[in-house]
Amino acid sequence: MRRLGLVLLVAAATLVGCGDDGGTEGTITVFAAASLTDVFEELADAFEEANPGTTVELSFGPSSGLVTQITEGAPADVIATAATSNMEDLAEADALEGEPVDFATNRLELAVPAGNPGGVDGLDDLADEELVVGLCNEEVPCGRFAREALDAAGVEASIDTDEEDVRALLTKVEAGEVDVGVVYRTDVQAAGDAVEGVVIPDDENVVATYPIATVEGAANGEGAEAFIAFVLSAAGQAALAQAGFEPAP
Protein backbone atom coordinates (compact mmCIF):
# COMPACT_ATOMS: atom_id res chain seq x y z
CA MET A 1 0.00 0.00 0.00
CA ARG A 2 2.88 2.38 0.76
CA ARG A 3 4.39 1.68 -2.67
CA LEU A 4 1.01 2.25 -4.32
CA GLY A 5 0.70 5.54 -2.46
CA LEU A 6 4.11 6.64 -3.73
CA VAL A 7 3.16 5.72 -7.30
CA LEU A 8 -0.01 7.82 -7.06
CA LEU A 9 1.91 10.73 -5.59
CA VAL A 10 4.47 10.60 -8.38
CA ALA A 11 1.70 10.51 -10.98
CA ALA A 12 0.05 13.56 -9.42
CA ALA A 13 3.36 15.40 -9.20
CA THR A 14 3.91 14.73 -12.92
CA LEU A 15 0.52 16.20 -13.78
CA VAL A 16 1.15 19.43 -11.85
CA GLY A 17 4.73 19.84 -13.14
CA CYS A 18 5.54 22.83 -15.27
CA GLY A 19 8.12 23.93 -17.82
CA ASP A 20 8.49 23.30 -21.54
CA ASP A 21 8.87 19.54 -21.10
CA GLY A 22 6.02 19.25 -18.59
CA GLY A 23 8.30 19.12 -15.54
CA THR A 24 10.10 21.50 -13.21
CA GLU A 25 13.81 22.19 -13.24
CA GLY A 26 16.39 23.37 -10.75
CA THR A 27 16.13 23.66 -6.97
CA ILE A 28 12.97 24.52 -5.05
CA THR A 29 13.74 25.70 -1.52
CA VAL A 30 10.85 25.00 0.85
CA PHE A 31 10.65 26.38 4.41
CA ALA A 32 8.06 24.44 6.44
CA ALA A 33 6.84 24.12 10.01
CA ALA A 34 8.46 21.31 12.00
CA SER A 35 5.17 19.43 12.29
CA LEU A 36 5.16 18.98 8.50
CA THR A 37 8.50 17.13 8.48
CA ASP A 38 7.39 13.60 7.63
CA VAL A 39 4.66 14.35 5.11
CA PHE A 40 6.64 17.06 3.28
CA GLU A 41 9.62 14.70 2.98
CA GLU A 42 7.27 12.20 1.34
CA LEU A 43 5.80 14.83 -0.96
CA ALA A 44 9.25 16.13 -1.89
CA ASP A 45 10.49 12.64 -2.78
CA ALA A 46 7.50 12.07 -5.05
CA PHE A 47 7.87 15.49 -6.67
CA GLU A 48 11.55 14.91 -7.42
CA GLU A 49 10.88 11.46 -8.86
CA ALA A 50 8.20 12.89 -11.15
CA ASN A 51 10.38 15.80 -12.23
CA PRO A 52 13.94 14.63 -13.05
CA GLY A 53 16.42 17.45 -12.73
CA THR A 54 14.47 19.05 -9.90
CA THR A 55 15.63 19.10 -6.29
CA VAL A 56 13.38 20.06 -3.38
CA GLU A 57 15.45 21.38 -0.50
CA LEU A 58 13.49 21.28 2.75
CA SER A 59 14.20 23.41 5.80
CA PHE A 60 12.09 22.70 8.89
CA GLY A 61 11.73 24.69 12.09
CA PRO A 62 9.37 26.72 14.26
CA SER A 63 7.08 28.86 12.13
CA SER A 64 8.12 32.06 13.90
CA GLY A 65 11.77 31.28 13.26
CA LEU A 66 11.15 30.61 9.57
CA VAL A 67 9.35 33.94 9.27
CA THR A 68 12.31 35.71 10.85
CA GLN A 69 14.74 34.02 8.48
CA ILE A 70 12.75 35.07 5.41
CA THR A 71 12.25 38.67 6.55
CA GLU A 72 15.99 38.86 7.19
CA GLY A 73 16.71 37.75 3.63
CA ALA A 74 17.15 33.99 3.78
CA PRO A 75 16.59 32.56 0.26
CA ALA A 76 13.40 30.52 -0.04
CA ASP A 77 10.83 29.76 -2.73
CA VAL A 78 7.97 28.33 -0.64
CA ILE A 79 6.87 28.91 2.95
CA ALA A 80 4.36 26.71 4.85
CA THR A 81 3.54 27.64 8.44
CA ALA A 82 1.52 26.04 11.23
CA ALA A 83 -0.46 29.20 11.93
CA THR A 84 -2.11 31.87 9.81
CA SER A 85 -0.73 34.60 12.08
CA ASN A 86 2.85 33.80 11.03
CA MET A 87 1.89 33.99 7.37
CA GLU A 88 0.15 37.31 8.04
CA ASP A 89 3.43 38.64 9.44
CA LEU A 90 5.10 37.80 6.12
CA ALA A 91 2.28 39.43 4.15
CA GLU A 92 2.62 42.62 6.21
CA ALA A 93 6.36 42.59 5.47
CA ASP A 94 5.62 42.31 1.71
CA ALA A 95 7.55 39.02 1.71
CA LEU A 96 4.98 36.98 -0.24
CA GLU A 97 4.18 36.62 -3.92
CA GLY A 98 0.39 36.45 -4.23
CA GLU A 99 -2.06 35.26 -1.60
CA PRO A 100 -1.36 32.35 0.77
CA VAL A 101 -3.63 29.30 0.54
CA ASP A 102 -4.75 27.19 3.51
CA PHE A 103 -3.96 23.54 2.82
CA ALA A 104 -4.51 21.60 6.07
CA THR A 105 -5.55 21.77 9.71
CA ASN A 106 -4.27 19.98 12.80
CA ARG A 107 -5.31 19.40 16.40
CA LEU A 108 -3.43 19.23 19.66
CA GLU A 109 -2.89 15.98 21.52
CA LEU A 110 -1.04 14.97 24.66
CA ALA A 111 2.02 12.83 23.99
CA VAL A 112 3.31 10.49 26.70
CA PRO A 113 6.11 7.92 26.65
CA ALA A 114 5.14 4.35 25.72
CA GLY A 115 3.26 2.77 28.61
CA ASN A 116 2.23 6.19 29.98
CA PRO A 117 4.36 5.86 33.14
CA GLY A 118 2.97 9.12 34.54
CA GLY A 119 -0.64 7.92 34.28
CA VAL A 120 -1.67 11.01 32.32
CA ASP A 121 -5.31 11.09 31.19
CA GLY A 122 -6.02 14.75 30.47
CA LEU A 123 -4.93 18.38 30.56
CA ASP A 124 -5.63 18.53 34.31
CA ASP A 125 -2.59 16.35 34.91
CA LEU A 126 -0.27 19.04 33.55
CA ALA A 127 -0.79 20.90 36.85
CA ASP A 128 0.81 17.99 38.75
CA GLU A 129 4.20 19.17 40.01
CA GLU A 130 5.36 15.57 40.36
CA LEU A 131 5.17 15.09 36.59
CA VAL A 132 7.77 16.42 34.15
CA VAL A 133 5.71 18.60 31.80
CA GLY A 134 6.89 19.93 28.45
CA LEU A 135 5.44 22.54 26.10
CA CYS A 136 6.73 24.29 23.03
CA ASN A 137 8.01 27.83 23.49
CA GLU A 138 5.09 30.26 23.63
CA GLU A 139 6.47 32.15 20.62
CA VAL A 140 5.83 29.19 18.27
CA PRO A 141 2.36 27.96 17.25
CA CYS A 142 2.35 24.67 19.18
CA GLY A 143 3.33 26.52 22.37
CA ARG A 144 0.81 29.30 21.87
CA PHE A 145 -1.98 26.86 21.04
CA ALA A 146 -1.10 24.64 24.03
CA ARG A 147 -1.45 27.59 26.37
CA GLU A 148 -4.78 28.50 24.77
CA ALA A 149 -6.00 24.94 25.39
CA LEU A 150 -4.82 25.03 29.01
CA ASP A 151 -6.62 28.35 29.53
CA ALA A 152 -9.79 26.87 28.03
CA ALA A 153 -9.53 23.97 30.48
CA GLY A 154 -8.78 26.26 33.42
CA VAL A 155 -5.45 24.52 34.08
CA GLU A 156 -2.30 26.23 35.35
CA ALA A 157 0.39 23.90 34.08
CA SER A 158 3.56 23.11 36.00
CA ILE A 159 5.94 23.57 33.05
CA ASP A 160 9.40 22.06 33.32
CA THR A 161 10.69 22.68 29.79
CA ASP A 162 9.90 24.96 26.85
CA GLU A 163 11.18 23.52 23.56
CA GLU A 164 12.04 25.43 20.39
CA ASP A 165 9.59 23.48 18.23
CA VAL A 166 7.20 20.55 18.34
CA ARG A 167 9.70 17.97 17.08
CA ALA A 168 12.21 18.90 19.78
CA LEU A 169 9.48 18.34 22.38
CA LEU A 170 8.41 15.06 20.79
CA THR A 171 12.02 13.82 20.93
CA LYS A 172 12.08 14.38 24.70
CA VAL A 173 8.81 12.49 25.10
CA GLU A 174 10.16 9.59 23.04
CA ALA A 175 13.28 9.48 25.22
CA GLY A 176 11.21 9.48 28.42
CA GLU A 177 12.74 12.79 29.53
CA VAL A 178 9.28 14.27 30.07
CA ASP A 179 6.11 12.58 31.31
CA VAL A 180 3.79 14.54 29.03
CA GLY A 181 4.05 17.08 26.24
CA VAL A 182 1.46 19.00 24.24
CA VAL A 183 2.09 18.36 20.54
CA TYR A 184 -0.02 17.90 17.43
CA ARG A 185 -2.01 14.76 16.72
CA THR A 186 0.10 14.20 13.61
CA ASP A 187 3.29 14.15 15.70
CA VAL A 188 1.91 11.39 17.93
CA GLN A 189 1.05 9.38 14.83
CA ALA A 190 4.50 9.98 13.31
CA ALA A 191 6.24 8.73 16.47
CA GLY A 192 4.68 5.28 16.16
CA ASP A 193 5.14 2.96 19.13
CA ALA A 194 7.60 5.31 20.83
CA VAL A 195 4.80 7.42 22.32
CA GLU A 196 1.12 7.18 23.16
CA GLY A 197 -1.51 9.86 22.60
CA VAL A 198 -4.09 11.17 25.04
CA VAL A 199 -6.98 12.93 23.29
CA ILE A 200 -7.83 16.52 24.22
CA PRO A 201 -11.62 17.12 24.07
CA ASP A 202 -12.84 19.41 21.30
CA ASP A 203 -14.11 22.03 23.77
CA GLU A 204 -10.57 22.40 25.15
CA ASN A 205 -8.66 21.82 21.92
CA VAL A 206 -7.29 24.31 19.39
CA VAL A 207 -7.35 23.83 15.63
CA ALA A 208 -4.22 24.97 13.79
CA THR A 209 -4.64 26.10 10.18
CA TYR A 210 -1.67 25.66 7.83
CA PRO A 211 -1.18 28.15 4.95
CA ILE A 212 1.35 27.89 2.11
CA ALA A 213 2.66 30.58 -0.25
CA THR A 214 5.37 31.57 -2.72
CA VAL A 215 8.02 33.84 -1.25
CA GLU A 216 8.53 37.26 -2.86
CA GLY A 217 11.56 37.23 -5.13
CA ALA A 218 11.68 33.43 -5.24
CA ALA A 219 14.61 32.20 -7.33
CA ASN A 220 12.41 29.44 -8.72
CA GLY A 221 8.93 30.91 -8.77
CA GLU A 222 7.68 28.47 -11.39
CA GLY A 223 8.87 25.52 -9.35
CA ALA A 224 7.34 27.02 -6.21
CA GLU A 225 3.93 27.28 -7.87
CA ALA A 226 4.18 23.68 -9.10
CA PHE A 227 5.10 22.36 -5.65
CA ILE A 228 2.24 24.28 -4.03
CA ALA A 229 -0.15 22.92 -6.67
CA PHE A 230 1.06 19.43 -5.79
CA VAL A 231 0.39 19.98 -2.08
CA LEU A 232 -3.12 21.18 -2.97
CA SER A 233 -3.78 18.32 -5.41
CA ALA A 234 -5.99 15.36 -4.52
CA ALA A 235 -2.94 13.14 -4.06
CA GLY A 236 -1.16 15.72 -1.92
CA GLN A 237 -4.25 16.11 0.24
CA ALA A 238 -4.54 12.31 0.54
CA ALA A 239 -0.94 12.13 1.78
CA LEU A 240 -1.68 14.80 4.37
CA ALA A 241 -4.82 12.95 5.48
CA GLN A 242 -2.85 9.73 5.85
CA ALA A 243 -0.38 11.59 8.06
CA GLY A 244 -3.25 12.65 10.33
CA PHE A 245 -3.94 16.17 9.06
CA GLU A 246 -7.49 17.36 8.44
CA PRO A 247 -8.70 19.41 5.46
CA ALA A 248 -8.40 23.17 5.38
CA PRO A 249 -11.53 25.16 6.35
Side-chain angles (χ1 to χ4, degrees):
M1 290 297 293
R2 183 175 179 81
R3 177 60 185 168
L4 176 59
L6 179 60
V7 170
L8 293 175
L9 279 175
V10 171
T14 303
L15 290 174
V16 299
C18 57
D20 294 338
D21 60 354
T24 64
E25 295 180 350
T27 299
I28 307 169
T29 303
V30 178
F31 280 19
S35 52
L36 292 165
T37 299
D38 298 279
V39 68
F40 264 41
E41 286 178 346
E42 181 182 356
L43 292 174
D45 287 345
F47 195 86
E48 288 178 345
E49 187 169 340
N51 296 276
T54 299
T55 300
V56 180
E57 289 190 353
L58 299 169
S59 181
F60 298 105
S63 295
S64 57
L66 298 176
V67 168
T68 299
Q69 290 180 54
I70 290 175
T71 55
E72 291 181 350
D77 299 308
V78 176
I79 174 70
T81 64
T84 55
S85 59
N86 297 115
M87 194 67 79
E88 289 168 359
D89 290 340
L90 286 173
E92 291 176 2
D94 295 325
L96 300 179
E97 178 69 34
E99 294 292 328
V101 180
D102 297 336
F103 67 94
T105 56
N106 210 347
R107 294 178 186 270
L108 298 177
E109 190 165 322
L110 300 181
V112 300
N116 193 6
V120 175
D121 60 14
L123 284 173
D124 289 350
D125 292 314
L126 274 69
D128 188 346
E129 295 182 356
E130 295 184 1
L131 294 177
V132 180
V133 176
L135 298 183
C136 296
N137 188 290
E138 62 183 336
E139 294 180 356
V140 302
C142 70
R144 185 168 70 252
F145 295 151
R147 287 165 175 80
E148 290 179 11
L150 288 164
D151 287 344
V155 176
E156 185 174 349
S158 175
I159 305 169
D160 296 289
T161 182
D162 280 314
E163 298 300 318
E164 65 176 2
D165 62 40
V166 71
R167 284 308 173 97
L169 177 56
L170 186 66
T171 297
K172 287 201 169 184
V173 177
E174 291 174 325
E177 296 178 18
V178 300
D179 294 308
V180 57
V182 183
V183 300
Y184 295 113
R185 182 176 65 179
T186 53
D187 296 298
V188 173
Q189 181 174 317
D193 294 336
V195 306
E196 295 179 13
V198 177
V199 174
I200 299 175
D202 287 344
D203 60 348
E204 298 173 355
N205 214 321
V206 177
V207 177
T209 299
Y210 288 65
I212 191 169
T214 300
V215 178
E216 176 67 28
N220 191 348
E222 188 176 18
E225 292 177 5
F227 184 79
I228 291 173
F230 179 41
V231 172
L232 297 173
S233 71
Q237 291 294 295
L240 285 158
Q242 188 171 10
F245 290 90
E246 298 178 39

